[in-house]
Amino acid sequence: MKRREFLGLLGGAALTTPRAMAQTQGRIYHLGTLTPVAPMTEDSPFGKIVVKALAQRGYTVGQNLTWDARGSMGEIAKIPAMLEELKSRGIDAIVVIGYPTALAAKPTGIPTIGATGLGDPVETRLIDSLAHPGGNITGISDVATTLTTKRLQLLKEMSPKLQKVAMLWNRDDLGMTLRYEASAKVAEALGITVQAVGVREPDDFNEAFTAMDGDMPDAILMVADSLTNLNRKRVFDFATARKLPAIYEFDFLVRDGGLMSYGPDLTESFERTAALVDRIFKGASPGDLPFEQPTRYPFVLNLKTAKATGLEIPPRLVALADEVIE
């Protein structure tokens, strides 16, 4: 074992010393989670990441930690009522996913941690600045422009003759609309024409597919939010049937059948979310905790989907991939 790795293990062990755990004894902490899709329970994939990271800091569900999960299953209008219910239950902090959820949480006064999907929180005026958010919210953010440049470059490597990309996003989500606009500017700078395919509800996907059939793009870039994620299978099927390369923002979409993704490592994002929860439990104000940026951005390829789509993946892309699904 290298000395650096050994020291890293010692640093991690410090999180679970008796002294650290003693700070959480004698009190029960109440954590809520709210998503615009299925509830993030302690047994869900992302919930397990948070539970494990909190356990390293001395919190155990069923002992000194309660976990109250809610999810609106795509019905954004239900989010305010769910927040009021969670507030009435006396939660100490809430972990949220998505810009609409974070925006609805802002006026409640509940200490809020945005784990992912918030878009650019400064541009949407969700916070004052990344360094000093203000109010009652902190979390994890990323830079759409930088990531889009990489995604379009990957599409170009997949399809060297790429001239037009269809960008699919939720028009009703300001965070995702700003992400789309930033992506469109990047594409224009790269000499790629953008076909804007905005949706607002599930029925709009049929119109989006019809529009693409009438003016076929060379590739698809899907901006992830609750609406597009809940309808991801329809996008996968359309791209496969039309033999179109498509890129997504998160690796779970590729594991679920998408072709490829480039974006933040969500395991890291939820581990760091747990660290922010711990700081808030120990008395920190969310508005004083800077928004953090991801440090890991995996590129994931699904060769099974490529084969079904009839696409040949260039060897260089396979070599670049952090994970290849076969």
Side-chain angles (χ1 to χ4, degrees):
M1 179 179 290
K2 296 179 180 179
R3 182 173 182 271
R4 182 182 298 174
E5 294 172 345
F6 177 70
L7 292 175
L9 287 175
L10 289 179
L15 294 173
T16 58
T17 61
R19 180 181 177 184
M21 290 189 176
Q23 295 176 354
T24 67
Q25 293 175 356
R27 175 182 170 185
I28 295 177
Y29 296 83
H30 304 283
L31 180 65
T33 68
L34 180 58
T35 82
V37 287
M40 190 177 76
T41 68
E42 63 265 40
D43 296 318
S44 66
F46 296 140
K48 287 180 179 179
I49 297 170
V50 176
V51 166
K52 181 179 179 180
L54 286 176
Q56 293 172 342
R57 293 165 171 80
Y59 306 94
T60 303
V61 177
Q63 294 182 21
N64 63 345
L65 177 67
T66 69
W67 185 289
D68 208 333
R70 297 287 188 279
S72 72
M73 295 304 296
E75 298 187 55
I76 303 301
K78 291 184 176 181
I79 287 176
M82 291 180 173
L83 281 166
E84 286 303 315
E85 184 179 357
L86 287 169
K87 185 175 182 179
S88 71
R89 295 173 69 87
I91 59 173
D92 297 301
I94 184 170
V95 173
V96 302
I97 292 176
Y99 169 74
T101 314
L103 183 64
K106 185 175 180 178
T108 66
I110 304 171
T112 301
I113 307 94
T116 185
L118 272 62
D120 185 329
V122 178
E123 286 294 317
T124 59
R125 299 184 179 179
L126 183 67
I127 61 174
D128 297 333
S129 71
L130 293 176
H132 303 285
N136 67 315
I137 187 169
T138 186
I140 315 296
S141 183
D142 55 57
V143 182
T145 301
T146 304
L147 296 180
T148 298
T149 300
K150 180 66 173 180
R151 289 174 187 133
L152 291 174
Q153 288 172 345
L154 290 167
L155 281 175
K156 268 280 195 183
E157 289 218 33
M158 174 70 72
S159 181
K161 295 182 180 179
L162 175 70
Q163 294 183 327
K164 178 171 61 180
V165 61
M167 291 189 182
L168 182 65
W169 90 101
N170 182 355
R171 289 180 181 270
D172 281 346
D173 185 325
L174 176 59
M176 297 306 102
T177 294
L178 291 176
R179 186 185 291 278
Y180 154 73
E181 290 175 353
S183 300
K185 289 179 182 178
V186 170
E188 182 180 356
L190 294 174
I192 299 172
T193 300
V194 172
Q195 182 180 16
V197 189
V199 291
R200 288 192 170 93
E201 56 186 39
D203 288 345
D204 291 346
F205 282 83
N206 290 331
E207 295 181 15
F209 297 147
T210 298
M212 283 189 277
D213 275 333
D215 185 15
M216 191 64 69
D218 300 312
I220 296 174
L221 189 160
M222 190 183 91
V223 181
D225 83 312
S226 60
L227 177 61
T228 54
N229 286 346
L230 286 170
N231 289 275
R232 61 191 181 276
K233 293 284 192 181
R234 299 167 69 184
V235 180
F236 299 163
D237 290 345
F238 179 84
T240 299
R242 304 307 188 275
K243 301 187 182 302
L244 292 174
I247 194 164
Y248 305 88
E249 295 184 330
F250 299 114
D251 52 12
F252 74 87
L253 294 165
V254 176
R255 295 191 188 96
D256 204 26
L259 177 65
M260 59 183 183
S261 68
Y262 179 78
D265 182 333
L266 292 179
T267 296
E268 178 196 32
S269 294
F270 281 94
E271 287 173 345
R272 292 168 71 179
T273 292
L276 290 169
V277 170
D278 174 48
R279 294 181 68 179
I280 290 170
F281 280 171
K282 290 175 179 173
S285 170
D288 294 333
L289 300 176
F291 257 71
E292 299 181 3
Q293 304 290 308
T295 62
R296 299 196 299 264
Y297 296 88
F299 170 45
V300 182
L301 273 174
N302 190 322
L303 296 186
K304 293 189 294 185
T305 299
K307 183 177 180 180
T309 309
L311 296 171
E312 184 174 345
I313 308 293
R316 185 180 126 77
L317 279 186
V318 177
L320 282 174
D322 297 278
E323 180 182 350
V324 176
I325 300 169
E326 299 183 272

